Amino acid sequence: GGWFEQRDAFNDVWRFDLAQRTWTELETTVPRPAGRFLVSLVDVGNVLYLVGGEQGSAIGTDHIHAYMNDVWAFDVATHQW
């Protein structure tokens, strides 16, 4: 996930390999959370819980933001939401 000023919020998931120092984008299942940034993530065993965050997009010089109040669980072994 994340956000870039000239685009909408992203909903992609990436894994960082500490040994190789490389990023790999993960294929995930649908449905999946809407793109967002400024989220909270909690790691419990093999599950990452994504809580809230902000949705946003930039249209010209206008920035549109919405606060999220949902919770999603991501299984890191199966890549399923």
Side-chain angles (χ1 to χ4, degrees):
W3 184 64
F4 175 64
E5 232 177 272
Q6 305 303 319
R7 299 193 44 149
D8 294 333
F10 303 123
N11 68 346
D12 48 356
V13 178
W14 293 74
R15 175 181 55 215
F16 185 70
D17 183 319
L18 287 170
Q20 300 295 319
R21 296 184 179 182
T22 57
W23 287 95
T24 304
E25 185 172 6
L26 302 180
E27 298 273 338
T28 62
T29 59
V30 291
R32 62 178 144 243
R36 62 190 70 204
F37 54 97
L38 298 175
V39 303
S40 294
L41 284 174
V42 179
D43 177 17
V44 180
N46 282 335
V47 178
L48 285 175
Y49 291 94
L50 180 145
V51 181
E54 270 188 73
Q55 251 185 338
S57 64
I59 301 170
T61 58
D62 295 330
H63 294 264
I64 302 164
H65 295 275
Y67 297 101
M68 311 298 287
N69 65 356
D70 53 352
V71 177
W72 288 78
F74 181 73
D75 185 310
V76 297
T78 64
H79 302 170
Q80 292 184 338
W81 285 103

